[in-house]
Each structure stands twice: as C-alpha cells, then as structure tokens.
Amino acid sequence: MDQRLTPKNKIITGYKATDENMCCRNFQFKLGKWYTHKGGLSLCGSGFHFCEYPSGPWAYYSTGRLFRVEAKEVLLSTGPGACLKHVARKIRLVEEIKVGGDRNTGDRNTGDENTGDGNTGHWNTGHWNAGNLNTGDGNTGHWNTGDRNTGHWNAGNRNTGDGNAGSFHSGCLNYGEAKFFIFNKEADRSVIDFSLVSQLCALLIQDDEIDPSAFLSLPNASPEEIKRLHEAHRAARSKASKTEQGR
C-alpha cells in the first residue's frame, strides 16, 4: 500500500477497537486523553493503529468496544475495503460507538464488517457489493476501488478484467480509459444513446427480422451492420443449443 505522513497539527478522524477495559495490546487508554508514541511509525508494527471506517476494526477484533478517535502525525495507507487502517504518532479516544448485529455500519447487509448498505460480501465501504474489500458501489469482484467492476483489483469503474487502473476495460493490467467500440468500430462513448442500445439488444435475442430504421442514429450503424450482428447472434444461439443437446 502507498503511505504518506500527514502534517503535525492536522487531525485525522477514524475508529479504534479496544477490549472491555479500554486496553489495546496491553496499552491502557482513557477517554479524551492524548497519547504520544515515542518510536518510529510502521503499519502493523509500531504506533497507534486505527481504521478509517467504523466497521473496519472488526476485521481485526472479534469482540470489544469501539471508539471514534482523533489522530495526528498519521501515516496514511491507501487501499480498498472497510478494513483499511492507518498508524499515528498521537491519538485520543473521543467517544464510544455502540454497535450490534454483524458489525455492519449500514443496512440490509448479509456479509460482515461492511460500511454501506446491501452488501453480500465482507469489508466493503460502498453499497450493493457482492464481492469483498471493495471501496465503491455495485462490485461483484474483490478489492476494487471503483464502481460496478466484475473483475478484481481494479482502480476504476466498470472493468470486467483484473488489475486495471482505468475504466471499462475487459482485459487485464491496463491503464487509462478503454477505447469504446460499437458495431466493431471505435466511437465516442459520450454520444451513445444507450436506451437505443437496450432496445436493439432486446430484438437481437429474438429470431424475427429486425427493422433497422430506428437504430441508424447509433454510431457506425447501417442496415447491413445490424443484419450482420443479428445473424451472428442467431448463429451463436444455434451453436449453444446444439452443444447443450449433445450433453
């Protein structure tokens, strides 16, 4: 993970768990008191650790009490997921947070330790994720820091591949914005009428002939291209049907 140290007087807020006696790794805390770490700062090694999101500490503790904290001289980490944690030189516990259920901060979660709503995975900070450790919404993959990714480890939106630093990639390990193609030719995504795309898709799954006139405003569209596309869909369905019958 990338790390950077915050200015001395800048206050960073977050969340920290302790045992029932307000101890963490044999260090006794009191509410409202500032504490200073004397040594160097090392994530998972040296300093006062806390999480950015309220459900995060439960990735590291199975029981205990949860507190909102303020910290200074923080070595910040970056990464996906509610379990993201930082390490600080100075820290104080500001107030206790009462939690319940499966340690989710949000509603309608079927997974655990989520900060968000409607997640079926774990340690997500966005909404409606089916994967784990996502910072974003609607991801079905894991470790994404964007929205609606079906792949893993993407820093961007709507990727179906893995390890992309950009959006709309269907391959792996790409960066920047992916080129957009319609009717097998490159086009500007911003000018596409996707409602027309959806209407044409609904017709492509049928065998009846398609009247192309309603779709000619789409980039690269022509009656011939729409016919060729429809024939390709019908051929693919026929092949799939024959494969299924042979099983």
Side-chain angles (χ1 to χ4, degrees), residues 182-185 200 204 210-230:
I182 184 168
F183 294 107
N184 283 13
K185 295 179 182 178
L200 180 54
L204 290 170
I210 296 174
D211 179 0
S213 59
F215 308 104
L216 296 180
S217 61
L218 291 170
N220 305 324
S222 69
E224 295 76 21
E225 280 296 300
I226 293 173
K227 183 176 181 179
R228 277 193 287 268
L229 177 63
H230 194 201

Side-chain angles (χ1 to χ4, degrees), residues 71-99:
K72 297 179 180 179
E73 297 183 57
V74 180
L75 192 62
L76 294 172
S77 298
T78 59
C83 61
L84 175 64
K85 65 178 178 179
H86 311 305
V87 59
R89 189 175 308 282
K90 298 180 180 180
I91 198 169
R92 69 172 175 177
L93 279 56
V94 177
E95 65 174 332
E96 186 167 4
I97 306 296
K98 298 297 184 181
V99 296

Side-chain angles (χ1 to χ4, degrees), residues 5 9 30 41 58-59 76 80 100 121 130 152-153 176 179 214-215 222 225 231 234 242:
L5 188 64
N9 293 323
K30 291 184 179 179
L41 297 180
W58 305 121
L76 294 172
H152 312 306
W153 303 290
K179 292 181 177 180
F215 308 104
S222 69
E225 280 296 300
E231 288 174 349
R234 288 191 289 198
K242 291 177 180 177

Side-chain angles (χ1 to χ4, degrees), residues 25 70 85 125 129 190 193 205 214:
R25 296 187 178 275
E70 294 180 342
K85 65 178 178 179
T125 63
N129 294 290
S190 66
D193 183 346
I205 64 174

Side-chain angles (χ1 to χ4, degrees), residues 18-23 63-65 67 96:
T18 71
D19 66 14
E20 293 299 327
N21 298 314
M22 294 181 68
C23 285
T63 61
R65 298 164 69 180
F67 295 87
E96 186 167 4

Side-chain angles (χ1 to χ4, degrees), residues 63-192:
T63 61
R65 298 164 69 180
L66 180 67
F67 295 87
R68 184 172 66 84
V69 302
E70 294 180 342
K72 297 179 180 179
E73 297 183 57
V74 180
L75 192 62
L76 294 172
S77 298
T78 59
C83 61
L84 175 64
K85 65 178 178 179
H86 311 305
V87 59
R89 189 175 308 282
K90 298 180 180 180
I91 198 169
R92 69 172 175 177
L93 279 56
V94 177
E95 65 174 332
E96 186 167 4
I97 306 296
K98 298 297 184 181
V99 296
D102 293 318
R103 303 179 296 280
N104 293 297
T105 303
D107 302 320
R108 302 178 300 280
N109 296 290
T110 57
D112 302 332
E113 293 93 19
N114 294 292
T115 298
D117 302 331
N119 295 289
T120 58
H122 310 303
W123 305 296
N124 296 293
T125 63
H127 309 307
W128 311 108
N129 294 290
N132 304 324
L133 290 155
N134 293 294
T135 299
D137 302 331
N139 295 289
T140 57
H142 311 307
W143 291 88
N144 295 294
T145 57
D147 301 329
R148 301 190 184 184
N149 294 290
T150 58
H152 312 306
W153 303 290
N154 294 294
N157 305 319
R158 297 174 183 258
N159 294 288
T160 57
D162 303 330
N164 297 296
S167 302
F168 298 100
H169 290 287
S170 58
C172 302
L173 305 175
N174 299 291
Y175 55 88
E177 293 300 300
K179 292 181 177 180
F180 182 83
F181 290 84
I182 184 168
F183 294 107
N184 283 13
K185 295 179 182 178
E186 192 172 346
D188 182 356
R189 181 185 287 107
S190 66
V191 303
I192 305 297

